[in-house]
Amino acid sequence: MWRYSRNPIVGRYDIPSSNSIFNSAVVPFGDGYAGVFRSDNKAVQMNIYAGFSKDGINWDINHEPIEMKPGNTDMIESDYKYDPRVVFIEDRYWITWCNGYHGPTIGIAYTFDFADFYQCENAFLPFNRNGVLFPEKFDGKYAMLSRPSDNGHTPFGDIYISYSPDMKYWGEHRCVMKVADFEESAWQCTKIGAGSAPIRIKEGWLIFYHGVINTCRGFRYSMGAAILNEKNPSKVLYRTRPYLLAPNETYELTGDVPNVIFPCAALCDGEKVAVYYGAADTVIGLAFGCLKEIVDFTKNNSLQ
Ligand code: BMA
């Protein structure tokens, strides 16, 4: 994969009130793109903002955070919102994010137009992060990857899957993927978390995920890819032993949290793949790849 030469595509001050704009998700929308962006303001309050783009690169991000209306429940508390993901399922766009409800858990909302947003029940009890929905249902049920965690800078974490018939009640929780052994693939030995919404490919589902190693200078976040079984996505078919992208550019190495590449979205148009990632918890970067090369690499350099 290679980085867009004009990264970062979104700067930390692109909203007048912002301190940083990073871990954010985009989807095709109308004749362009729409997205939900994480921005921390200058009081360092975490919130999510809608944004629009004609080309997926130059973004107009609203200056006010998303105001939720009640969806499938009464309005529930949301002390903060961060790390959104977006996916289109059937007739609407679903947004998941890390919702502050006595600590982080997974918030869910839907929108048809990125103007009105309807907040639903939280998917899980606290603490949980990195909730990522599949674009299709399995036997009539929605499916979501997530990572049970703690209330701090969690020093552990594996990826689970859960199912729901109605986007309200979640169950059938299964473990999908655990951290790797330090000796096998150290960049992903401390914690892992789903990144982009899964992309349907011939072999099953392609996901980009983040993996973390705890170094003497703190956590370092890199990006890998995995392919999950088409019918039963709790089964991992392949998963990269080497990372696909690790912090290397200045905007990834320095910022509010150094050494972070945090993928939250991937667009796929035929053979062309574009991954959107938060860089150093400060700005947004874009990386490109060819689908076949990524899939071949994942198969040929797999941990399992
Ligand atoms: C995680 C989340 C992410 C962040 C990452 C690196 O726990 O807070 O939003 O990008 O840490 O700081």
Side-chain angles (χ1 to χ4, degrees):
M1 298 188 75
W2 62 95
R3 292 165 174 84
Y4 181 46
S5 55
R6 295 171 73 185
N7 271 353
I9 58 162
V10 176
R12 67 183 306 166
Y13 297 132
D14 284 2
I15 299 173
S17 62
S18 63
N19 165 75
S20 47
I21 309 174
F22 51 115
N23 309 345
S24 302
V26 310
V27 283
F29 176 69
D31 52 9
Y33 301 87
V36 177
F37 292 80
R38 168 179 177 176
S39 176
D40 299 0
N41 67 17
K42 290 185 182 70
V44 195
Q45 295 168 296
M46 305 178 281
N47 218 326
I48 57 176
Y49 297 69
F52 302 90
S53 173
K54 286 200 164 56
D55 57 10
I57 291 173
N58 297 290
W59 287 90
D60 287 319
I61 304 173
N62 291 349
H63 293 177
E64 296 302 321
I66 292 170
E67 286 237 13
M68 297 285 177
K69 300 177 172 136
N72 66 8
T73 187
D74 296 338
M75 276 314 293
I76 47 180
E77 278 170 55
S78 185
D79 295 334
Y80 49 78
K81 299 184 182 75
Y82 66 86
D83 294 0
R85 316 297 207 273
V86 185
V87 67
F88 184 80
I89 313 174
E90 291 180 328
D91 64 344
R92 65 193 73 183
Y93 300 89
W94 290 92
I95 295 104
T96 51
W97 70 91
C98 200
N99 193 43
Y101 182 82
H102 306 274
T105 185
I106 306 303
I108 304 179
Y110 63 85
T111 183
F112 295 97
D113 53 10
F114 289 88
D116 293 312
F117 291 82
Y118 299 90
Q119 187 167 346
C120 300
E121 278 295 330
N122 289 330
F124 308 116
L125 292 168
F127 309 107
N128 199 307
R129 291 184 172 99
N130 300 302
V132 176
L133 287 164
F134 282 76
E136 290 174 32
K137 290 176 162 179
F138 296 82
D139 295 328
K141 285 176 278 195
Y142 298 99
M144 193 188 329
L145 301 169
S146 76
R147 196 197 67 204
S149 62
D150 67 10
N151 198 10
H153 300 295
T154 315
F156 61 88
D158 303 319
I159 299 176
Y160 286 76
I161 192 167
S162 309
Y163 295 91
S164 171
D166 55 5
M167 278 286 184
K168 190 165 192 178
Y169 300 101
W170 292 85
E172 296 172 74
H173 314 291
R174 299 283 184 278
C175 185
V176 177
M177 211 161 102
K178 297 180 95 97
V179 293
D181 287 340
F182 177 78
E183 300 78 13
E184 290 274 323
S185 182
W187 66 270
Q188 50 182 331
C189 74
T190 300
K191 53 180 168 175
I192 54 175
S196 60
I199 297 169
R200 181 183 260 292
I201 57 171
K202 185 167 86 275
E203 292 81 354
W205 297 99
L206 173 68
I207 60 163
F208 295 97
Y209 67 97
H210 67 261
V212 180
I213 179 172
N214 195 6
T215 73
C216 56
R217 291 289 304 275
F219 290 147
R220 177 176 190 251
Y221 285 67
S222 306
M223 179 180 93
I227 300 173
L228 312 179
N229 181 278
E230 183 192 0
K231 297 254 156 46
N232 178 2
S234 68
K235 288 199 164 61
V236 180
L237 303 178
Y238 309 99
R239 144 189 200 188
T240 53
R241 182 191 301 273
Y243 56 71
L244 282 174
L245 210 61
N248 185 58
E249 301 299 318
T250 308
Y251 54 89
E252 299 160 353
L253 298 170
T254 63
D256 287 359
V257 182
N259 302 320
V260 180
I261 282 186
F262 196 94
C264 287
L267 300 178
C268 188
D269 181 5
E271 270 302 301
K272 293 187 276 186
V273 176
V275 174
Y276 292 75
Y277 62 94
D281 285 13
T282 306
V283 296
I284 297 176
L286 185 52
F288 301 114
C290 297
L291 185 62
K292 185 173 180 330
E293 285 183 12
I294 294 167
V295 169
D296 286 349
F297 183 85
T298 306
K299 286 177 164 178
N300 296 334
N301 296 276
S302 185
L303 255 186
Q304 51 202 74

